Amino acid sequence: MPGEISLVEIMKLAGTEIGVSDWITVDQTMIDTFADATLDHQFIHVDPERAKAETPYGGTIAHGFLTLSLLSAMNYSALPKIREQTMGINYGFEKIRFMSPVKCGAQVRGRFTLAETRLRGANMLMLTYDVTVEIENERKPALTATWTTISQFDPKDRPEEA
């Protein structure tokens, strides 16, 4: 659905799936870079030979938090830009469940359902999404989450209907 949408239009989409992201390949370079950034060098992530020999995954797997962090990139490719938005803010998560490991080399994508919208104050719209991160050719998703973001806008653009 990328493109542009107004505040009024996005508010009317609550309860519907509004976007599916592009596929993102999770390779060893990405996993290693994330391990370096987070100081999480557990062998199941960074040692392909040992992970192949000692885990049931046949090789390394992505950090759960790496998969979660890809939601930002998925958001950009899946969700429409809100025309009046001046800034987007990550407000947080209500629930995150890591359902299945993402094996090195797998492709993942996000599926976004807009669960709720709520105007806050003169210049903010809270958007709550139910998100599923799918793994290509896998039955179970990598993760599910309830994610809340805030779209900030100029108060003069606040919709009359609330």
Side-chain angles (χ1 to χ4, degrees):
M1 174 181 270
E4 283 195 6
I5 193 168
S6 72
L7 284 165
V8 171
E9 290 168 324
I10 193 84
M11 291 172 68
K12 291 178 181 176
L13 293 176
T16 63
E17 181 176 275
I18 63 169
V20 178
S21 76
D22 296 334
W23 289 105
I24 297 171
T25 301
V26 180
D27 61 18
Q28 193 62 51
T29 300
M30 181 186 288
I31 294 168
D32 291 343
T33 302
F34 190 84
D36 289 342
T38 59
L39 307 177
D40 181 354
H41 294 95
Q42 186 178 174
F43 83 92
I44 65 173
H45 305 303
V46 298
D47 188 335
E49 289 76 32
R50 186 173 173 200
K52 184 176 182 179
E54 297 181 27
T55 73
Y57 309 119
T60 57
I61 59 172
H63 305 72
F65 287 138
L66 166 55
T67 306
L68 182 68
S69 72
L70 291 173
L71 286 176
S72 291
M74 293 173 185
N75 170 332
Y76 292 121
S77 76
L79 302 180
K81 180 183 182 309
I82 299 173
R83 195 171 296 118
E84 299 88 348
Q85 179 173 301
T86 57
M87 179 173 55
I89 301 166
N90 180 357
Y91 191 71
F93 293 88
E94 294 298 319
K95 183 169 83 171
I96 302 166
R97 296 291 180 263
F98 297 103
M99 311 294 286
S100 189
V102 175
K103 296 175 183 177
C104 180
Q107 291 197 96
V108 294
R109 72 177 176 187
R111 188 173 290 278
F112 295 80
T113 297
L114 182 60
E116 178 184 11
T117 63
R118 183 166 49 101
L119 288 167
R120 289 189 55 187
N123 67 335
M124 290 187 281
L125 177 66
M126 270 187 132
L127 303 117
T128 301
Y129 299 95
D130 290 326
V131 183
T132 301
V133 175
E134 302 173 331
I135 306 168
E136 189 175 39
N137 299 319
E138 296 286 337
R139 188 180 57 78
K140 285 179 66 178
L143 67 85
T144 59
T146 301
W147 185 20
T148 302
T149 64
I150 294 175
S151 177
Q152 190 166 331
F153 52 88
D154 188 308
K156 73 173 176 44
D157 293 327
R158 189 179 201 281
E160 292 297 321
E161 54 191 76

